[in-house]
């Protein structure tokens, strides 16, 4: 195994990070306008937050970030939780900057995924018993659906976070939780939406703003949703989706239509169904693809590759369990 170069930081060589401080300050200068309101300029706390988070080596919380940045942790918390600057406006600026870069007009990929943070109680918006992928179990967590942009065709690769939405568990919309929603600051117009529905809202928003990309990628949680796949395909976009191993696959295009009613009783069929064609399980195609390696992403050591199909049974039980526990 190749040893890690001691002259690297965060997986980057020294020459790539020697001016990182100045570059980060430049990013703050470009985006500081997004943290201003009509009556207050909170951009200084945006700088403190960014600086503190990047320099912390342990757990990242408001008190620790404040100590690292030399300001009161309560002020940092108020800036992130209570200050009325628009997170959506900042995300739109990121997307506008991507649209203005000619080298990113081709080769871009959108990636949909979720991220979960463990929480000790219900003090954070959306916190509740739900699956936490980082912990590999159901735990009190806060989950966000995120949309990222990746382009590996440009020199050294390019990736950034585009947008995100907080997932609110369905139980949080019950009348008994009205007070909790008000304490969280959830808008009254907000209604329950699944992670899949939130994912489509993010994708649809990027499409409407004219960001150039060539493909959308998502894992089993989203890939198993025919509704989401239809939405992406209906928008004229190409997608690559992971699906469960027992997903029915047709090797030849089946005949679709509305079947005739059998007999004189019962309702007349109204839904499109498969009239003819034989489906096979997705994992039955394993023998045809086993051994083929697909490049996944570059790493600090060497390109990461994966088998076109993983070993039999890999991940299937985990994914089914994940779905049944509320995803």
């Amino acid at each position: 195994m190749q040893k890690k170069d001691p002259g690297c930081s965060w997986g980057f060589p020294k020459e790539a990070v020697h001016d990182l401080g100045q570059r980060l300050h430049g990013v703050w200068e470009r985006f500081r306008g997004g943290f201003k309101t009509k009556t207050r300029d909170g951009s200084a706390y945006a700088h403190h937050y960014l600086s503190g988070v990047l320099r912390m080596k342990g757990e990242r919380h408001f008190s620790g970030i404040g100590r690292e940045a030399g300001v009161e942790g309560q002020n940092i918390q108020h800036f992130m939780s209570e200050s009325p600057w628009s997170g959506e406006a900042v995300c739109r600026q990121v997307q506008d900057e991507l649209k203005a870069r000619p080298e990113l007009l081709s080769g871009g990929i959108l990636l949909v995924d979720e991220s979960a943070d463990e929480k000790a109680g219900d003090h954070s918006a959306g916190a509740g018993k739900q699956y936490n992928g980082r912990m590999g179990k159901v735990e009190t967590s806060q989950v966000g659906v995120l949309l990222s942009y990746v382009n590996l065709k440009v020199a050294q690769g390019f990736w950034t976070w585009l947008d995100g939405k907080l997932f609110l568990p369905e139980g949080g919309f019950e009348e008994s939780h009205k007070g909790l929603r008000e304490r969280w600051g959830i808008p009254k117009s907000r209604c329950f939406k699944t992670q899949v529905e939130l994912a489509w809202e993010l994708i649809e928003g990027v499409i409407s703003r004219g960001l150039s990309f060539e493909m959308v990628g998502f894992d089993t949680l989203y890939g198993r949703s025919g509704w989401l796949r239809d939405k992406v395909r209906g928008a004229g976009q190409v997608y690559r989706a992971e699906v469960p191993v027992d997903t029915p696959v047709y090797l030849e295009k089946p005949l679709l239509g509305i079947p005739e009613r059998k007999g004189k009783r019962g309702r007349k069929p109204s839904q499109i169904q498969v009239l003819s064609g034989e489906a096979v399980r997705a994992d039955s195609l394993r023998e045809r693809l086993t051994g083929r390696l697909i490049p996944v992403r570059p790493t600090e050591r060497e390109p990461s590759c994966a088998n076109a199909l993983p070993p039999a049974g890999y991940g299937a039980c985990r994914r089914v369990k994940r779905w049944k526990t509320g995803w």
Side-chain angles (χ1 to χ4, degrees), residues 34-305:
F35 304 102
K36 297 179 181 180
T37 64
K38 293 182 179 180
T39 59
R40 183 171 298 181
D41 181 358
S43 61
Y45 283 107
H47 186 279
H48 292 318
Y49 179 83
L50 177 64
S51 174
V53 166
L54 292 177
R55 287 187 284 126
M56 289 185 68
K57 297 180 180 180
E59 294 184 1
R60 290 171 172 81
H61 45 71
F62 291 127
S63 297
I65 294 171
R67 286 195 299 269
E68 190 68 40
V71 297
E72 288 291 334
Q74 288 184 343
N75 293 349
I76 295 290
Q77 182 175 2
H78 183 274
F79 165 75
M80 292 298 295
S81 304
E82 306 295 337
S83 184
W85 56 270
S86 172
E88 292 183 1
V90 176
C91 291
R92 285 195 297 269
Q93 183 176 343
V94 172
Q95 296 173 32
D96 289 341
E97 289 198 4
L98 292 186
K99 289 164 55 179
R101 296 184 59 168
E103 70 274 23
L104 299 180
L105 292 179
S106 64
I109 299 174
L110 300 185
L111 296 179
V112 180
D113 204 353
E114 65 285 330
S115 180
D117 288 322
E118 183 182 8
K119 298 296 180 180
D122 61 2
H123 303 291
S124 300
K129 288 283 185 179
Q130 50 194 323
Y131 185 83
N132 186 319
R134 294 179 179 178
M135 302 176 65
K137 62 179 180 179
V138 176
E139 192 57 85
T140 301
S141 305
Q142 187 183 48
V143 176
V145 181
L146 308 177
L147 185 67
S148 302
Y149 174 92
V150 178
N151 194 321
L152 300 182
K153 289 188 176 182
V154 298
Q156 298 181 347
F158 181 94
W159 54 93
T160 184
W161 177 55
L162 290 179
D163 205 348
K165 289 183 178 290
L166 177 67
F167 172 69
L168 299 174
E170 187 172 12
F173 290 92
E174 297 176 355
E175 185 62 26
S176 59
H177 288 74
K178 181 178 179 181
L180 186 60
R181 292 196 304 274
E182 292 177 350
R183 178 161 62 85
W184 283 345
I186 304 301
K188 294 182 179 180
S189 59
R190 180 75 184 264
C191 59
F192 172 71
K193 292 184 179 180
T194 66
Q195 289 170 266
V196 170
E197 291 171 326
L198 294 178
W200 170 241
E201 285 189 357
L202 295 173
I203 298 170
E204 186 179 33
V206 166
I207 294 174
S208 68
R209 285 187 283 276
L211 182 66
S212 178
F213 62 93
E214 298 182 1
M215 187 175 68
V216 184
F218 28 74
D219 64 12
T220 310
L221 170 62
Y222 308 96
R224 71 191 304 160
S225 170
W227 176 85
L228 179 60
R229 299 197 307 269
D230 288 343
K231 285 288 188 180
V232 176
R233 184 169 51 246
Q237 304 298 329
V238 176
Y239 65 82
R240 293 292 182 268
E242 186 181 32
V243 297
V245 294
D246 59 353
T247 300
V249 176
Y250 291 87
L251 301 183
E252 296 182 2
K253 186 176 180 178
L255 177 62
L256 303 178
I258 298 177
E260 295 182 359
R261 181 170 57 185
K262 296 180 179 180
K264 298 182 179 180
R265 296 184 178 182
R267 292 183 179 179
K268 184 178 180 179
S270 60
Q271 301 294 324
I272 295 178
Q273 302 177 25
V274 176
L275 300 181
S276 65
E278 183 177 355
V280 299
R281 283 172 51 114
D283 58 353
S284 70
L285 305 177
R286 189 179 313 279
E287 293 182 359
R288 304 184 186 189
L289 298 175
T290 297
R292 289 178 53 188
L293 292 179
I294 299 176
V296 176
R297 63 183 183 277
T299 68
E300 60 182 280
R301 293 191 179 130
E302 59 187 9
S304 174
C305 299

